[in-house]
Amino acid sequence: MSPLFKPVAPRAVVDAAGLPRSERPLAAAQAEDGTWLLGTRDALVLVVSGQDSMRIPWERLESAEWERDEERLQIIEVADFGRPRPVRTYVLRDPGQMLALVRERVTASVVLQRRVVVARRKGLTVIARRPPAGGAITWAYRFDPGVEPDDPEVRRIAEEGLRAAAEELGEAGDPI
């Protein structure tokens, strides 16, 4: 180990994460419930003692919100169309560099966001994301409260918005 590389989590936790040889934790924090959060260049890895680790690529995280007073990090994942978004919440007494890394990585995965109006001020956002290491763009919609994704007119407007955004990037757009 290089003297410049300071471990961010115990060796047993890093080993349990099952990271590829080319990947290492850039930040780590242990939640109050014992879960370790490891942030790498490519993903957030959750390590719970006695369980398989869970890898969430940065482009699959829709958002992460930090509640300072409660010392709580809430992570919301991207979901397939029509499915509920997984939400995970962790109390982090010592978040270290984890918050900065999560913010930077999630933001870096967003290639494009376009607002599409459905009616008056209500609408949706078309979001294009790409893995940090490059690769295919994934597309998603985020609907405002009160906008019904199953409405045929909303669906038509959303698809037009996605096509326009995809053309802007020179991509084929298929929402997740």
Side-chain angles (χ1 to χ4, degrees):
M1 178 181 318
S2 161
L4 298 177
F5 176 69
K6 179 182 172 206
V8 294
R11 171 58 52 201
V13 171
V14 175
D15 290 346
L19 301 176
R21 289 180 57 102
S22 62
E23 200 171 5
R24 67 178 177 87
L26 302 174
Q30 186 174 26
E32 198 171 68
D33 69 359
T35 301
W36 276 91
L37 288 74
L38 304 180
T40 73
R41 184 186 84 145
D42 296 325
L44 176 66
V45 181
L46 307 173
V47 180
V48 180
S49 181
Q51 298 180 20
D52 289 338
S53 63
M54 173 184 269
R55 181 182 185 84
I56 307 170
W58 294 118
E59 68 275 12
R60 296 292 301 177
L61 285 180
E62 181 175 309
S63 65
E65 299 173 11
W66 175 247
E67 296 174 26
R68 177 179 288 180
D69 293 342
E70 302 294 323
E71 297 180 317
R72 188 178 349 201
L73 177 65
Q74 182 178 62
I75 298 166
I76 302 171
E77 294 179 54
V78 174
D80 292 336
F81 186 78
R83 304 201 57 131
R85 297 175 301 169
V87 177
R88 301 175 197 291
T89 304
Y90 301 97
V91 175
L92 304 176
R93 300 289 180 220
D94 181 14
Q97 295 299 311
M98 181 56 68
L99 301 178
L101 181 68
V102 168
R103 182 177 301 116
E104 188 275 329
R105 294 283 75 200
V106 170
T107 301
S109 74
V110 176
V111 176
L112 175 139
Q113 290 189 79
R114 284 294 172 263
R115 181 81 180 138
V116 178
V117 176
V118 172
R120 296 187 186 185
R121 292 185 175 184
K122 290 190 175 190
L124 59 107
T125 304
V126 175
I127 305 164
R129 302 181 78 160
R130 182 178 314 224
I137 288 177
T138 57
W139 296 88
Y141 300 123
R142 182 173 49 229
F143 293 91
D144 291 349
V147 174
E148 183 53 53
D150 293 329
D151 179 305
E153 182 64 9
V154 170
R155 207 177 267 267
R156 183 190 66 74
I157 292 169
E159 288 171 2
E160 285 178 7
L162 186 135
R163 271 194 300 280
E167 285 175 13
E168 186 176 329
L169 293 178
E171 296 279 332
D174 293 317
I176 54 173

